[in-house]
Amino acid sequence: MQKSKSDLKTMKFINEHKKMICIIIAVAYTGLMGIIACFVGLDNFGLEILYYVSQIISGVFVIMGVAVAVIQYTYNSNEKRIEDEKQKRIEGAKMADEFRKTVIPLINKLSKAYSNENLRKNIVDYLNEADLTDFDINEMNRLFPEDLYVKYRVQVALNYGYETNEKLKEMLRGDLKELDSEQKKVVDDIMMNEMYEVGKLCTELSNILEYMCICFNAEIADDLTVYQSLHKVFFQGVHMIYIFTFDGNANEYDRLYYNIMILYKKWKTMYKEKRLQEQAAQEKLKEEYKNMSKKYKEKITVTAKINK
């Protein structure tokens, strides 16, 4: 429960002056007992009264002591919670900076492999609209039947080579059928190298994303602090590595890059909810505008009739 500012100030005062409060309570107890002793006397009857009164007063002071301890504990807990949340936001900001330094350059580099409009549409955009839940080979076969994802891997690598390797680009400008056996071998060697390069990029990006997702999922860093800034680039990165990374997941107990899957599904759910809220707000505005236009037209019609 959220504490008011006055409650927090009271807790802070008690926490900072707890020793003085204890001394005041002890002095007040001793002084009060002395005053009572002066009034009742120190004979047997007076001592008996003093005993019972002291028990009552002791009970009151015990309750006060417990109350002080509870207030102190609550204050310390609240301070720790605030400090923990602050530290998580700081760690989240550090993750965002690390994302900027390491993840974004890799995504920009990998984007060359998806520069072809059809590849981007059939893989990245397609996965963006798909319902990714399992991140395994079964899901991949469902989304890309008949080993289509394997064919896409080759095309992605080929496009990456075309964008980054001038020699391959020059050879692919002509008709592949006109290449002799030696030239075809050169193309095959370059293609194998480009497959390796794209795979290496995907692995490097996957490892960095997995580390960051571990920090967010374990609540070492606050993912909500960076969600608005990073979610679109994060989705894009996951969609780019998808056909190269998650086919190794064949069962639940030996799953690779599990934390990427967890954070992706969490952020994707948030994204869909926000999009639905925005669509609902837009529909409401359209309806209000429609009603206002209708009333305005009715008013114009009535005014026109009166003027006649």
Side-chain angles (χ1 to χ4, degrees):
M1 185 173 65
Q2 191 70 27
K3 301 290 183 182
S4 66
K5 289 184 178 179
S6 59
D7 290 338
L8 292 175
K9 287 181 179 178
T10 302
M11 291 179 183
K12 185 176 181 181
F13 176 83
I14 292 174
N15 187 63
E16 291 176 349
H17 301 89
K18 55 182 176 290
K19 291 184 179 179
M20 183 60 68
I21 291 172
C22 291
I23 293 172
I24 292 172
I25 290 174
V27 171
Y29 175 76
T30 304
L32 187 58
M33 294 304 296
I35 292 171
I36 293 173
C38 291
F39 278 101
V40 301
L42 296 176
D43 55 10
N44 289 338
F45 179 72
L47 289 173
E48 187 175 352
I49 293 175
L50 186 62
Y51 171 77
Y52 286 116
V53 172
S54 68
Q55 293 299 307
I56 295 172
I57 295 174
S58 297
V60 171
F61 281 122
V62 167
I63 293 172
M64 290 175 63
V66 171
V68 170
V70 170
I71 291 172
Q72 181 183 347
Y73 173 78
T74 304
Y75 173 78
N76 290 339
S77 298
N78 192 62
E79 283 287 290
K80 187 177 185 305
R81 179 182 60 80
I82 293 173
E83 184 60 32
D84 287 346
E85 290 178 354
K86 179 181 177 182
Q87 189 59 40
K88 287 177 183 178
R89 288 193 293 271
I90 292 172
E91 291 299 323
K94 289 180 180 178
M95 287 290 105
D97 188 53
E98 186 68 20
F99 195 95
R100 176 183 64 83
K101 291 178 180 177
T102 59
V103 174
I104 291 179
L106 284 172
I107 289 177
N108 289 339
K109 195 172 182 180
L110 196 55
S111 293
K112 295 177 181 178
Y114 293 93
S115 61
N116 180 279
E117 185 178 348
N118 287 330
L119 285 177
R120 177 169 286 276
K121 180 181 177 182
N122 293 333
I123 302 174
V124 179
D125 295 345
Y126 171 63
L127 290 174
N128 189 50
E129 297 301 323
D131 186 21
L132 303 183
T133 56
D134 300 323
F135 289 77
D136 60 10
I137 187 63
N138 294 323
E139 180 179 74
M140 200 173 293
N141 284 324
R142 175 174 59 82
L143 295 171
F144 302 101
E146 298 179 1
D147 292 334
L148 185 59
Y149 69 92
V150 178
K151 298 175 184 177
Y152 278 148
R153 281 180 183 174
V154 176
Q155 293 178 22
V156 168
L158 181 64
N159 192 67
Y160 181 77
Y162 186 82
E163 293 292 335
T164 59
N165 191 304
E166 287 297 325
K167 187 174 182 180
L168 180 62
K169 189 173 186 178
E170 184 66 30
M171 297 182 77
L172 291 178
R173 282 174 179 167
D175 188 351
L176 290 178
K177 293 180 181 179
E178 296 180 358
L179 298 179
D180 57 34
S181 58
E182 188 64 30
Q183 289 174 321
K184 288 180 180 179
K185 185 178 184 305
V186 171
V187 171
D188 290 341
D189 290 342
I190 294 175
M191 278 298 303
M192 288 297 295
N193 183 66
E194 298 308 322
M195 283 285 291
Y196 170 77
E197 287 298 321
V198 173
K200 187 171 73 170
L201 274 176
C202 290
T203 300
E204 185 178 358
L205 180 56
S206 299
N207 289 336
I208 296 173
L209 287 177
E210 177 71 2
Y211 164 73
M212 291 184 172
C213 292
I214 288 173
C215 293
F216 289 133
N217 294 336
E219 298 185 356
I220 297 170
D222 181 30
D223 67 291
L224 299 181
T225 301
V226 301
Y227 165 80
Q228 197 59 44
S229 301
L230 302 183
H231 72 279
K232 287 186 72 174
V233 184
F234 175 72
F235 293 157
Q236 183 184 12
V238 173
H239 299 152
M240 285 181 175
I241 65 175
Y242 185 85
I243 62 173
F244 290 90
T245 301
F246 298 104
D247 61 321
N249 291 337
N251 51 61
E252 290 291 332
Y253 55 83
D254 195 21
R255 188 176 290 274
L256 299 171
Y257 303 109
Y258 176 80
N259 285 279
I260 293 177
M261 178 187 73
I262 295 299
L263 189 68
Y264 179 92
K265 291 198 290 187
K266 178 183 178 182
W267 280 12
K268 200 67 173 180
T269 300
M270 292 170 57
Y271 174 77
K272 289 178 180 178
E273 289 175 353
K274 287 180 181 292
R275 188 166 65 175
L276 287 174
Q277 290 171 2
E278 184 178 338
Q279 290 173 350
Q282 289 176 351
E283 289 297 323
K284 185 178 179 181
L285 285 174
K286 287 181 182 178
E287 189 65 28
E288 289 177 353
Y289 176 77
K290 184 178 178 181
N291 292 335
M292 288 176 62
S293 299
K294 184 179 179 181
K295 289 179 181 179
Y296 179 74
K297 289 179 181 178
E298 289 174 352
K299 185 178 180 180
I300 293 294
T301 303
V302 170
T303 303
K305 289 180 178 179
I306 292 172
N307 290 335
K308 287 182 179 180

